[in-house]
Amino acid sequence: MKKLLVFLKDYKKECVLAPLFKLLEASFELFVPLVVAAVVDNGITGGRNGYIVRMCLLMAALGLIGLVCSVTAQYFAAKAAVGFSTKLRHVLFAHIQSLSYTEMDTIGTPTLITRMTSDINQVQSGVNLVLRLFLRSPFIVFGAMVMAFTVDVPAALIFVVAIPLLSIVVFGIMLITMPLYKKAQAGLDRLLGITRENLTGVRVIRAFNKEADEWDRFRTSNESLTTLQKFVGRISGLMNPVTYIIVNGATIALIYCGALRVDSGVLTQGEVIALVNYMSQILVELIKLANLIITVTKAAACANRIQGVLEIQSSMQAPKTTAGGRTEEDAPAVAFEDVSLTYKGAGGESLTGLRFSVPKGSTVGVIGGTGSGKTSLVNLIPRFYDATKGRVLVDGRDVRDYSLEELRRKVGVVPQKAVLFSGTIRENLLWGNEQASDKELYEALDTAQAREVVANREEGLDAAVEQGGKNFSGGQKQRLTIARALVGNPEILILDDSASALDFATDARLRKALRNLRRKTTVFIVSQRTSSIQHADQIIVLDDGKPAGIGTHQELLESCPEYQEIYYSQFDAGSAKKNAGKEAANA
């Protein structure tokens, strides 16, 4: 929590003025019982109506001044708290963006969402309440006791007994409930994770008819959280009745003691009323203070969780600028030198002993069974992950020597899952290059076979895109994401199974358009279809993370059993011979 207070440094004035105005309000509040005592003793008892009116006006003035001080304090406290949370949110979001895929996989999306939303909101509430009440409540408690001693010392001794008893009850309950509140927050995290999984995977859940199972899972987690929160609520609920018993007992003692002293002429009736008012003020402020400490404890727990994320350093360190030195013209676009990859926490290697080079402007196909490491291979090129052994070279230089900005400007990636952001088609395409003209956008759309997607909408490029591209089909989303990557005019284009939703004819036109790009672009095509990669200049066949074969379609068809198995599973023998004949004729 202390480390996060640095975000309050621009709000020093507000952090001073908010408690100061609260103390002013508290000071005026402490004078009110004395004014009430004066009204009773000097006005009502003496029948002085003019005096009563003047004292009532004074009370109204004290209340008005207190209101102004309270509103002013609230303004400064809110300004500081909201400014603090805004800066913290910006820093946390920027830090999350700087983390590598390894850290993102380890932390988990639900956890990061919780830190960005409810945790920061809780910390904001904690800062707001501390600035308003942290000094005010103790000041009222001890101030009321001091004022009681100025009224009558023997009667004030009742305060000396009542305040410790109240403190024991209030803070005892607080100490019991604080760990339980932390457990409740952890339970809320789990519930949010389940909810997010269900919302994200709702189509899969329905496809496999798992609604009942997921409902049971959600209900179990929700009931567990509800039971815990009810238990904490019952304990917290003891605070009001127990404290009221103590305060009412103290009030009875005050009235009894006060009656005796009034009867003996030592105290006046107004002073007894003032003492009772001070006792009521102490009760209210102690409960406020207890609630404040509970809120601050929650806020501190949330702040520590946020700080935990901020302290996570990316395992992928990159220079801010690319080191000097020129790349040789004849250097391959991409080269793997005995590359292996092991994911964090994995029991074994996902990629082993990859060695190949790709000339500039060539097309490379990557194929293999499910889980063979195809995506892992292409993720090493833009450095989404770092190779645990060996080196990955781009233009003859180790990817670790590039700044991430320059490396990823060279590489355009179309991931397996087509993701569009809410806005317009134009705004989504401009992610590839913010300065691109409409002509360049349409050229990219033509290459990606996506012009019809735009042409079929009245608004054209300014057609609305809903969150996640829900108003587009799977094939339309894939073509638009390919166009977005092409707008950036990358030197290396990676299509990670990004044409799986396209029909064969559209897929063929897309591959032909990519071969005819004006720029000498190196293209990596990851696919399950041999038809999508068979015309590639080089095909890499993966089997359980190891290279089973590297060569052209014809070479692999003759020498690689794994490739043969994939190919013949997609084409029967007659079709395969026919395709071979066509290829021979074309050759």
Side-chain angles (χ1 to χ4, degrees):
M1 179 70 178
K2 292 180 181 178
K3 294 181 180 179
L4 299 185
L5 294 180
V6 67
F7 299 110
L8 280 172
K9 66 180 181 180
D10 292 334
Y11 299 94
K12 293 177 182 176
K13 179 183 72 175
E14 287 79 3
C15 291
V16 172
L17 291 176
L20 179 61
F21 277 99
K22 270 296 178 183
L23 290 180
L24 286 173
E25 179 207 356
S27 300
F28 291 119
E29 190 173 323
L30 288 174
F31 285 113
V32 172
L34 297 180
V35 176
V36 173
V39 170
V40 173
D41 293 337
N42 302 325
I44 297 174
T45 304
R48 299 163 58 188
N49 294 332
Y51 183 82
I52 295 173
V53 171
R54 287 197 302 273
M55 288 298 102
C56 288
L57 290 175
L58 177 59
M59 270 200 297
L62 289 174
L64 183 61
I65 295 171
L67 175 63
V68 172
C69 292
S70 178
V71 171
T72 306
Q74 177 61 55
Y75 168 76
F76 287 123
K79 184 177 179 182
V82 172
F84 165 83
S85 64
T86 300
K87 286 191 173 185
L88 180 56
R89 229 178 245 111
H90 283 154
V91 170
L92 181 60
F93 185 79
H95 181 72
I96 290 172
Q97 292 295 317
S98 71
L99 297 177
S100 69
Y101 276 24
T102 300
E103 282 71 47
M104 301 289 280
D105 295 341
T106 303
I107 300 170
T109 304
T111 298
L112 293 176
I113 291 174
T114 303
R115 300 297 179 272
M116 284 288 299
T117 52
S118 65
D119 281 354
I120 289 184
N121 288 339
Q122 190 70 54
V123 173
Q124 176 183 322
S125 299
V127 171
N128 195 336
L129 286 176
V130 164
L131 292 177
R132 290 193 294 119
L133 298 178
F134 187 69
L135 292 179
R136 182 188 188 279
S137 292
F139 181 80
I140 288 283
V141 171
F142 291 104
M145 188 169 64
V146 170
M147 296 297 284
F149 273 98
T150 63
V151 174
D152 184 62
V153 174
L157 292 175
I158 297 172
F159 286 77
V160 177
V161 177
I163 289 176
L165 285 176
L166 284 169
S167 299
I168 290 171
V169 171
V170 169
F171 295 110
I173 291 174
M174 179 197 71
L175 290 174
I176 294 171
T177 55
M178 280 194 315
L180 297 175
Y181 277 123
K182 289 181 182 179
K183 287 185 180 179
Q185 190 67 27
L188 180 61
D189 278 355
R190 289 192 294 273
L191 189 64
L192 286 173
I194 292 172
T195 304
R196 183 183 179 280
E197 285 178 4
N198 275 269
L199 292 175
T200 304
V202 63
R203 295 177 186 274
V204 178
I205 291 169
R206 289 178 179 174
F208 286 90
N209 196 27
K210 290 290 184 180
E211 292 97 328
D213 293 340
E214 288 302 315
W215 167 242
D216 289 340
R217 183 175 167 224
F218 177 85
R219 184 172 53 198
T220 301
S221 180
N222 191 36
E223 287 176 354
S224 175
L225 177 61
T226 303
T227 302
L228 181 58
Q229 288 179 329
K230 283 181 178 179
F231 179 67
V232 179
R234 290 190 188 101
I235 296 175
S236 299
L238 292 174
M239 186 178 294
N240 282 347
V242 175
T243 50
Y244 277 116
I245 288 172
I246 295 173
V247 169
N248 286 324
T251 303
I252 292 170
L254 270 177
I255 293 172
Y256 177 76
C257 178
L260 294 177
R261 296 178 69 77
V262 168
D263 190 50
S264 61
V266 178
L267 279 180
T268 64
Q269 294 174 343
E271 288 172 335
V272 174
I273 293 173
L275 290 171
V276 173
N277 281 341
Y278 282 131
M279 182 61 71
S280 299
Q281 285 183 349
I282 288 172
L283 169 65
V284 171
E285 293 305 322
L286 276 176
I287 293 176
K288 281 184 182 179
L289 186 60
N291 290 331
L292 167 66
I293 293 175
I294 290 173
T295 302
V296 169
T297 303
K298 288 182 182 178
C302 293
N304 289 334
R305 283 143 47 110
I306 295 168
Q307 184 62 37
V309 175
L310 291 174
E311 288 177 351
I312 294 173
Q313 296 298 317
S314 176
S315 59
M316 187 179 295
Q317 301 300 320
K320 293 184 178 179
T321 57
T322 302
R326 294 186 177 182
T327 305
E328 297 180 8
E329 290 295 327
D330 57 350
V334 176
F336 278 53
E337 297 182 350
D338 294 322
V339 171
S340 298
L341 171 66
T342 303
Y343 288 108
K344 187 176 180 180
E349 291 182 335
S350 297
L351 294 174
T352 304
L354 286 173
R355 172 178 281 274
F356 63 88
S357 62
V358 179
K360 293 179 180 177
S362 59
T363 299
V364 180
V366 182
I367 196 169
T370 302
S372 59
K374 303 185 294 298
T375 298
S376 298
L377 185 152
V378 293
N379 278 343
L380 295 175
I381 300 172
R383 208 184 168 201
F384 292 152
Y385 295 93
D386 270 338
T388 47
K389 293 179 185 177
R391 296 194 306 164
V392 179
L393 307 179
V394 171
D395 289 342
R397 184 177 297 173
D398 195 321
V399 291
R400 298 183 183 94
D401 296 334
Y402 283 96
S403 68
L404 291 178
E405 184 178 356
E406 181 176 348
L407 176 63
R408 290 169 185 173
R409 204 165 43 232
K410 284 175 170 284
V411 183
V413 181
V414 185
Q416 283 179 310
K417 183 179 179 181
V419 177
L420 296 176
F421 298 91
S422 56
T424 64
I425 294 177
R426 184 194 305 276
E427 290 170 349
N428 274 272
L429 295 179
L430 290 176
W431 272 56
N433 177 9
E434 293 181 357
Q435 309 302 323
S437 63
D438 282 6
K439 180 182 177 182
E440 291 172 313
L441 298 183
Y442 277 110
E443 286 179 357
L445 289 168
D446 286 336
T447 303
Q449 311 303 306
R451 180 182 276 265
E452 67 179 63
V453 178
V454 177
N456 290 339
R457 282 167 169 75
E458 294 181 6
E459 302 89 346
L461 289 172
D462 295 314
V465 178
E466 294 181 9
Q467 184 180 4
K470 290 184 291 187
N471 54 333
F472 292 90
S473 68
Q476 289 173 333
K477 285 194 289 186
Q478 284 191 339
R479 284 179 282 170
L480 287 174
T481 52
I482 293 170
R484 179 172 60 196
L486 290 169
V487 169
N489 200 18
E491 297 176 20
I492 301 168
L493 177 64
I494 297 173
L495 304 178
D496 185 5
D497 205 12
S498 53
S500 57
L502 304 185
D503 59 70
F504 284 97
T506 306
D507 186 20
R509 291 197 300 271
L510 170 63
R511 286 184 279 109
K512 182 178 179 181
L514 291 174
R515 285 196 298 271
N516 295 330
L517 284 174
R518 286 180 295 177
R519 182 169 185 169
K520 198 176 181 182
T521 301
T522 306
V523 181
F524 282 78
I525 301 175
V526 177
S527 181
Q528 299 279 8
R529 299 176 183 170
T530 53
S531 59
S532 297
I533 62 168
Q534 64 183 0
H535 298 293
D537 301 306
Q538 186 177 186
I539 299 173
I540 301 169
V541 184
L542 294 178
D543 182 28
D544 197 22
K546 299 174 183 177
I550 298 177
T552 63
H553 168 69
Q554 197 60 41
E555 291 169 350
L556 293 172
L557 206 55
E558 294 172 358
S559 63
C560 181
E562 288 81 5
Y563 187 76
Q564 293 170 3
E565 181 181 354
I566 296 171
Y567 182 73
Y568 289 122
S569 68
Q570 297 175 3
F571 296 98
D572 57 35
S575 299
K577 289 180 181 178
K578 190 180 294 184
N579 285 340
K582 287 182 179 179
E583 289 172 10
N586 291 333

